[in-house]
Amino acid sequence: MALDSEPTDPTTGGRPGVAGALSSFVGITRGTFVVDGIAKRVMRLEYEAYEPMAIRELEKIVASSVERWSSLTAVVIAHRIGVVPVGEASVVVVTSSPHRRESIEAVAWLMDTLKRTVPIWKKEIYEDGSAWKKNSECGCG
């Protein structure tokens, strides 16, 4: 589990001989976003985090995932902070388990929970300006 300004290898997380499934989600910065119905060209994203709290929240969701899916053999979450150019990964979530179902379900749950609970903020830098992106999945007012 990490907050880092460097790219992360999405194949991290397997345990040879133990896991029969390795599931991952990689969120990549795309080149356009639709804002108020208008497609805007994205130059880059910039992420900020309250790091002590973000790390605690990431640790909590990793521990919760292992409680929910006790067959998980590894859980990796890495989220970039700072500048993330178009085409590069912003977030990587990887799990492994003996069978695919638990691993796939855990990845989806981890990503949804991360978006809802971890204090990481995204600023979209467009060709014609910038905007802080409200996380519509966040349970915060």
Side-chain angles (χ1 to χ4, degrees):
M1 181 220 40
L3 289 175
D4 202 340
S5 60
E6 298 300 317
T8 300
D9 178 0
T11 61
T12 306
R15 294 202 17 218
V18 177
L22 179 70
S23 301
S24 65
F25 171 81
V26 180
I28 299 170
T29 302
R30 60 185 178 268
T32 59
F33 283 112
V34 176
V35 179
D36 298 325
I38 300 167
K40 291 188 170 232
R41 184 166 177 243
V42 175
M43 307 309 290
R44 67 185 181 276
L45 299 180
E46 295 178 3
Y47 287 94
E48 292 185 10
Y50 178 56
E51 291 186 42
M53 181 183 253
I55 289 169
R56 278 194 307 274
E57 286 300 314
L58 289 169
E59 289 170 346
K60 281 173 32 180
I61 65 174
V62 167
S64 292
S65 71
V66 173
E67 286 177 19
R68 289 176 70 120
W69 295 276
S70 60
S71 65
L72 292 177
T73 58
V75 177
V76 175
I77 300 175
H79 200 299
R80 299 272 299 271
I81 53 174
V83 174
V84 182
V86 169
E88 289 191 10
S90 296
V91 60
V92 175
V93 178
V94 180
T95 63
S96 62
S97 63
H99 304 285
R100 72 180 182 279
R101 181 159 320 278
E102 296 85 359
S103 187
I104 292 168
E105 289 174 357
V107 166
W109 181 86
L110 284 158
M111 190 63 221
D112 291 346
T113 305
L114 181 156
K115 298 264 303 171
R116 205 171 48 252
T117 66
V118 180
I120 297 173
W121 302 278
K122 175 172 69 174
K123 186 176 188 179
E124 297 172 351
I125 310 301
Y126 309 114
E127 199 170 39
D128 63 351
S130 64
W132 285 100
K133 184 75 171 177
K134 183 178 190 280
N135 182 356
S136 60
E137 298 174 55
C138 182
C140 48

